[in-house]
Amino acid sequence: MTHNSNKISPKQMLFLVLQTQIGVQVLFLPSRVQAFAKGDAWMSVLLAGLFSQMFILMMWALNKRFPAATLYDFMPRLTGKAAARLLQILFIVYFTAQSSLILMFFYEVIRDWVFPETPRWLITGLMVLVCIYLTQENLQIIARFFLLVSSLFLVMIFISAYAYTHSNLLYIFPIGQAGFLPVVRGAHEAMNTLSGYEWILFCYPFVEGTPRKKLAAASAANAFSTLLYTFLVFTSLVVFSPSELGLLPHPVLYMVKALTITIIERPDLYFLSAWIVVVATSIMAYLYLAATGISHLFGMSSHRKPVLFTAVALLATALLIHDQAVMRTLGKIVSLSTYFFMGCVPFLLLLISLALHIREGGRRLAE
């Protein structure tokens, strides 16, 4: 049975998904999508949001058939114990890889913009310690914290919106210049950025309310994330010329740094301060999902100890991988894996459930 301390409201579920979707890629996405879709990069982000919504509907339909169980609980009924254990291990590896990548990119930004001489182990170690502190708590406390810090999105939006004082809308014209396939390729670049809706598979039985309210919460989170990323990409497109944007690794930070605000000096540091908290919540989310997977795999009653094991693994990975080419390769692997874990697996499980008329049953994940 689920402890009352794990129960959350649909609004809290919304912010779980939202904080996981919006993370380290806020700074990188504009240049990466623009490299393929050019001035239509904002359309690519909207298309990625539409694809994500399709995955959300599929996950919701699957969980609706097993309302009292998480993915880890009902997989054995659909695939058999051996296949379920293998899939569970793969999910754990995927979530750990996601958090490791976020940590690596986080260090790169902090090193380049704030602390160029500070050792890598210190910056990444401090971030992991903060994440461990909260992730060891129950789901309800994590959800409350995510809701609390979501006000920082307003800071990021306000600072970014000020850039329109130096914008040139002609940079995005003619609309449709890239063509259909480049826009789709750009959407692929944005898909991994919008991952985070997989929370549905793991927190559905803990969310109070009707299935429609749960779907509405996840959909609202995805819509907000998509619009925020679209806003940042569009803003970058109209502030920088196409040739400039292709040369900037962190266009949002360069855009914010160039702003002149009378009462605020170095607005990029204020933006970074909000961004660091947003990155921490993304790491916490994947750390929690990996740790609960380990606790379920080994029949543990709590995810506290697995959090420590997982944190050591992701920190070791972030410290050992220094080469940019290796980071990019790992990023591509994780990006492609998103389609498998967020699309293929839920789709196949849903097909098996419908074909064999398997539904209901399964116990809730205990903490």
Side-chain angles (χ1 to χ4, degrees):
M1 296 297 291
T2 304
H3 292 197
N4 290 333
S5 59
N6 270 335
K7 292 185 178 179
I8 60 176
S9 66
K11 181 173 70 173
Q12 290 172 324
M13 176 190 175
L14 185 156
F15 287 100
L16 277 178
V17 176
L18 183 61
Q19 287 286 357
T20 309
Q21 284 189 302
I22 301 176
V24 70
Q25 295 294 340
V26 162
L27 306 183
F28 302 92
L29 188 63
S31 58
R32 291 184 176 178
V33 179
Q34 191 268 350
F36 298 97
K38 306 305 178 185
D40 297 328
W42 59 275
M43 297 169 60
S44 293
V45 182
L46 290 176
L47 184 60
L50 180 61
F51 290 150
S52 297
Q53 184 60 34
M54 292 170 59
F55 288 163
I56 288 173
L57 287 170
M58 184 166 54
M59 293 178 184
W60 173 76
L62 176 61
N63 270 103
K64 191 179 177 183
R65 298 180 66 83
F66 302 91
T70 69
L71 177 69
Y72 294 142
D73 292 318
F74 62 72
M75 268 199 304
R77 297 192 61 199
L78 299 175
T79 65
K81 291 184 178 180
R85 288 179 71 86
L86 176 60
L87 283 173
Q88 192 167 341
I89 292 171
L90 291 176
F91 267 102
I92 293 168
V93 172
Y94 169 73
F95 291 139
T96 305
Q98 279 277 30
S99 55
S100 298
L101 269 176
I102 295 172
L103 189 61
M104 283 185 266
F105 287 128
F106 162 75
Y107 167 74
E108 296 289 325
V109 173
I110 297 301
R111 181 199 62 191
D112 294 344
W113 284 87
V114 188
F115 301 119
E117 302 297 329
T118 304
R120 186 188 191 99
W121 62 266
L122 182 59
I123 294 176
T124 54
L126 287 174
M127 172 60 85
V128 170
L129 283 176
V130 171
C131 294
I132 290 174
Y133 178 76
L134 184 69
T135 311
Q136 287 188 321
E137 299 298 332
N138 59 59
L139 184 62
Q140 189 178 87
I141 292 177
I142 294 174
R144 287 174 177 174
F145 176 76
F146 280 20
L147 191 156
L148 177 66
V149 299
S150 292
S151 58
L152 293 174
F153 291 139
L154 299 178
V155 176
M156 298 170 67
I157 293 172
F158 171 77
I159 296 176
S160 300
Y162 198 80
Y164 280 91
T165 57
H166 306 283
S167 63
N168 184 352
L169 290 176
L170 295 178
Y171 287 151
I172 66 166
F173 291 105
I175 294 177
Q177 58 184 288
F180 177 73
L181 289 180
V183 170
V184 173
R185 183 67 179 85
H188 164 69
E189 290 295 315
M191 277 301 295
N192 188 54
T193 301
L194 287 171
S195 64
Y197 43 84
E198 58 266 36
W199 267 111
I200 302 171
L201 297 170
F202 303 96
C203 73
Y204 190 93
F206 308 120
V207 183
E208 299 173 328
T210 64
R212 287 189 177 183
K213 288 184 178 179
K214 298 175 185 181
L215 175 62
S219 301
N222 183 63
F224 183 88
S225 300
T226 301
L227 291 176
L228 178 58
Y229 278 122
T230 303
F231 166 72
L232 292 173
V233 169
F234 186 87
T235 304
S236 299
L237 289 172
V238 299
V239 169
F240 299 109
S241 68
S243 58
E244 289 175 327
L245 192 56
L247 299 174
L248 301 177
H250 315 133
V252 175
L253 276 182
Y254 283 100
M255 174 182 69
V256 172
K257 185 179 180 180
L259 299 179
T260 303
I261 304 176
T262 305
I263 60 174
I264 300 178
E265 186 176 356
R266 290 295 303 272
D268 56 309
L269 296 184
Y270 290 90
F271 189 96
L272 266 179
S273 299
W275 173 80
I276 289 173
V277 178
V278 172
V279 170
T281 57
S282 294
I283 297 175
M284 290 174 191
Y286 288 116
L287 181 58
Y288 178 85
L289 292 174
T292 53
I294 294 174
S295 66
H296 189 278
L297 186 66
F298 293 100
M300 298 180 179
S301 60
S302 173
H303 71 286
R304 290 177 180 270
K305 289 183 179 179
V307 164
L308 297 176
F309 302 146
T310 310
V312 170
L314 75 91
L315 180 59
T317 304
L319 291 177
L320 290 174
I321 298 179
H322 296 268
D323 189 85
Q324 288 287 335
V326 177
M327 288 176 59
R328 287 195 295 270
T329 301
L330 180 60
K332 290 179 180 179
I333 294 173
V334 171
S335 181
L336 291 173
S337 299
T338 299
Y339 295 102
F340 175 75
F341 291 106
M342 304 301 108
C344 293
V345 172
F347 178 68
L348 290 175
L349 293 178
L350 182 59
L351 282 183
I352 293 172
S353 176
L354 292 171
L356 301 180
H357 304 287
I358 302 174
R359 59 182 307 156
E360 248 3 273
R363 60 180 178 81
R364 296 186 182 185
L365 180 61
E367 280 296 320

